[in-house]
Amino acid sequence: MPGEKEININLLNQLDLLERLEMADQDGGYEKILQQIAFEKRCIERKLYQKPPITDQ
């Protein structure tokens, strides 16, 4: 089970994401939001599918 620090980090990351989407809305409306969502999706997928380096021991 994640500790308080991990939970807080995840919540702060979610707040960051929401703030970026709000800024995209202010900057360009619907089209800008769609572009920002696509960008955020690619960032999440990179984190999700990254593989740890292989080390020989």
Side-chain angles (χ1 to χ4, degrees):
M1 181 159 192
E4 183 178 354
K5 183 176 180 179
E6 289 173 318
I7 291 170
N8 286 343
I9 289 170
N10 288 333
L11 291 173
L12 288 170
N13 286 337
Q14 289 177 346
L15 280 174
D16 289 343
L17 171 62
L18 292 172
E19 288 177 2
R20 288 190 297 270
L21 291 173
E22 287 174 343
M23 285 189 299
D25 181 42
Q26 292 172 354
D27 290 343
Y30 181 72
E31 289 298 320
K32 184 69 174 178
I33 289 175
L34 288 179
Q35 292 173 357
Q36 189 68 33
I37 289 171
F39 172 76
E40 299 296 342
K41 182 179 177 184
R42 287 190 304 272
C43 291
I44 291 168
E45 287 173 344
R46 263 195 305 273
K47 289 179 186 176
L48 183 61
Y49 298 121
Q50 75 182 17
K51 296 181 180 163
I54 298 173
T55 57
D56 293 326
Q57 292 187 12

